[in-house]
Amino acid sequence: MSTQGILEKIVDEVESEEDELVDLCSKLVQIPTVSPPGESREIAKFIESYFGSLGIATHIYEKVEGKSNVCVELPGKREGKIIWLGHVDTVPPGDPSSWKHDPYGGEVVNGRIYGRGSSDTKGAVAAAMIAAKALSRLPRDERCSVEFWFTTCEEIGAREGARWLAEEGFFRGDVCIVGDSEGFLPRDPVIDVGCKGILRVKLKAKGLAAHGSVPFLGENAVEKLIEVWRYARRISEFKLDVPKALEPIFESSISLFERRMKLNKSQEASLRRLYHFPTVSLNIIRGGIKANVVPDYAEAHLDIRVTPGTDMNSVKDRMINLVKESKVDGVEAEIYSLREGIYEDPKSPYVKSLSEAVRRVTGFSPTLRILTGGTDGIHVKQISKIPCLGLAPGVHGTAHTVDEYVTIENLTAVAKIYAVYPLLFKP
């Protein structure tokens, strides 16, 4: 059979499994896998049972009991090996009463599957499972080898998931496709060629307690934090020295964002700075023990995202200096997480072959993007030294939100791409 005939066969195979794909995604959503704590044994057993029914062997690996990672191996005879990586854990749903659709219901309504993790990333997991099923039915000499990894704890640093697996040497392949992305549309597909790095800072302020009626006898730690934040937020004005090779990708990333979102003028201005300056968000602030007590301790957590290929240490040093420049006594900056971003050369053969798979399935050339968030691809790239690209069915702006959903159209298209890529891949 010709290559085109094989491609058409596997695309038709995935198309015929759409009902099962939807059912799989719904059932995955119905299994709670909140991180923390990141326990995933129930969903791992579900995945193991599914592949067992197909006669496909699986392996489960745990650093900590109950935090399961599943590997499905499909050996092929063509040269090369692809790693597919997606996580099964999710963030908490928040207040269930704020949801119109049960966060663990896996409801299918008007072409959408609702529930926590549907977009991030149980939809991608379901698509990979169907792709693996379709690939297993092909003769080995028609495809390269593929390993599908379904991991846990991505939402809390992956220390019992992909990070641990990378450190232990489990990942071995030529390229890794990370099923953790958003913004895909069959008529406007996206490939992530990189993702931003992360710098997390805890500002810790010490004050002096006093009665709330005589605040001048104390030192208000919350007020100290507020003053320091006025300086710390200026990290967003620190110009980054970015790789010139990524400039076209920055432009295509910004253009994609503009196509997906309606922005006001202030948001548009921030978008234009998205890759040449860090972003900073004050996401947690704690302080005070009682309404009539001047707080003697307060802390704030800052989430700083930095373009890959830039000097993270220079950003860290600038942040520490900004806190010093505030000249507020009793406040220090603790750097508790520093993770550089990653990127692949847009002209690499891996990008070209995945782009070809996207074109074969959708009929459209993909937009290449640097993802603003981080993924487990960082661990695979930095520890296992395997090139990483992101492609997933996630819907733009739905991850971690109320009434999160993924579309059936996206699921089917991405499942086809996952199935087609091992037929086109050349290391």
Side-chain angles (χ1 to χ4, degrees), residues 16 105 111 117 150 179 211 228 239 273-274 278 317 323 341 376:
S16 70
F150 308 99
H211 195 284
V228 171
K239 185 70 179 291
R273 298 168 56 87
L274 189 59
D317 293 343
V323 173
D376 276 341

Side-chain angles (χ1 to χ4, degrees), residues 92-110:
D95 181 5
S97 67
S98 63
W99 289 64
K100 293 180 181 178
H101 302 273
D102 181 350
Y104 297 117
E107 298 174 44
V108 183
V109 182
N110 296 327

Side-chain angles (χ1 to χ4, degrees), residues 253-263 271-272:
S253 301
I254 290 169
S255 177
L256 177 71
F257 210 109
E258 290 171 333
R259 295 199 300 275
R260 294 287 192 271
M261 302 286 289
K262 186 176 182 180
L263 305 176
L271 179 62
R272 301 308 304 183

Side-chain angles (χ1 to χ4, degrees), residues 7 19 26 97 121 151 327 382:
L7 292 174
D19 289 346
S26 176
S97 67
T121 60
T151 65
K327 297 181 180 179
Q382 295 180 348

Side-chain angles (χ1 to χ4, degrees), residues 189-206:
V190 184
I191 292 175
D192 297 325
V193 296
C195 63
K196 285 194 171 188
I198 303 169
L199 177 67
R200 292 211 168 103
V201 182
K202 182 192 293 185
L203 299 176
K204 299 187 290 187
K206 294 181 180 180

Side-chain angles (χ1 to χ4, degrees), residues 52-289:
S53 70
L54 301 173
I56 301 172
T58 57
H59 305 278
I60 294 180
Y61 302 95
E62 294 182 344
K63 178 184 179 182
V64 174
E65 186 176 356
K67 297 185 178 184
S68 306
N69 303 279
V70 185
C71 177
V72 177
E73 297 180 65
L74 294 180
K77 292 186 177 180
R78 286 191 177 182
E79 186 182 3
K81 182 178 178 182
I82 298 169
I83 302 293
W84 184 92
L85 176 67
H87 66 91
V88 297
D89 64 310
T90 72
V91 297
D95 181 5
S97 67
S98 63
W99 289 64
K100 293 180 181 178
H101 302 273
D102 181 350
Y104 297 117
E107 298 174 44
V108 183
V109 182
N110 296 327
R112 297 176 175 181
I113 304 164
Y114 286 90
R116 176 55 83 227
S118 54
S119 190
D120 182 18
T121 60
K122 291 181 177 180
V125 168
M129 291 169 71
I130 290 296
K133 178 181 180 179
L135 286 165
S136 72
R137 293 175 174 174
L138 288 179
R140 293 188 180 188
D141 59 2
E142 293 179 352
R143 55 177 167 80
C144 70
S145 296
V146 188
E147 281 187 2
F148 292 88
W149 285 88
F150 308 99
T151 65
T152 191
C153 294
E154 188 272 347
E155 300 289 0
I156 51 174
R159 288 176 176 82
E160 291 83 31
R163 179 173 172 178
W164 168 67
L165 292 165
E167 290 170 344
E168 294 298 313
F170 284 102
F171 299 136
R172 296 175 184 174
D174 296 293
V175 68
C176 177
I177 304 303
V178 182
D180 190 356
S181 180
E182 65 168 16
F184 182 92
L185 289 172
R187 289 164 298 283
D188 192 5
V190 184
I191 292 175
D192 297 325
V193 296
C195 63
K196 285 194 171 188
I198 303 169
L199 177 67
R200 292 211 168 103
V201 182
K202 182 192 293 185
L203 299 176
K204 299 187 290 187
K206 294 181 180 180
L208 179 66
H211 195 284
S213 66
V214 283
F216 53 87
L217 296 181
E219 294 179 14
N220 192 310
V222 172
E223 290 182 355
K224 288 185 177 185
L225 273 187
I226 293 171
E227 178 62 20
V228 171
W229 167 240
R230 291 178 55 245
Y231 284 82
R233 68 190 304 173
R234 295 177 189 170
I235 193 66
S236 64
E237 300 170 3
F238 183 68
K239 185 70 179 291
L240 299 172
D241 184 13
V242 299
K244 291 183 179 180
L246 291 181
E247 288 290 355
I249 309 303
F250 299 154
E251 286 302 315
S252 62
S253 301
I254 290 169
S255 177
L256 177 71
F257 210 109
E258 290 171 333
R259 295 199 300 275
R260 294 287 192 271
M261 302 286 289
K262 186 176 182 180
L263 305 176
N264 59 37
K265 289 185 178 180
S266 174
Q267 292 169 328
E268 288 176 356
S270 296
L271 179 62
R272 301 308 304 183
R273 298 168 56 87
L274 189 59
Y275 295 100
H276 293 91
F277 298 84
T279 60
V280 58
S281 182
L282 171 56
N283 290 343
I284 298 174
I285 186 166
R286 300 188 182 101
I289 57 170

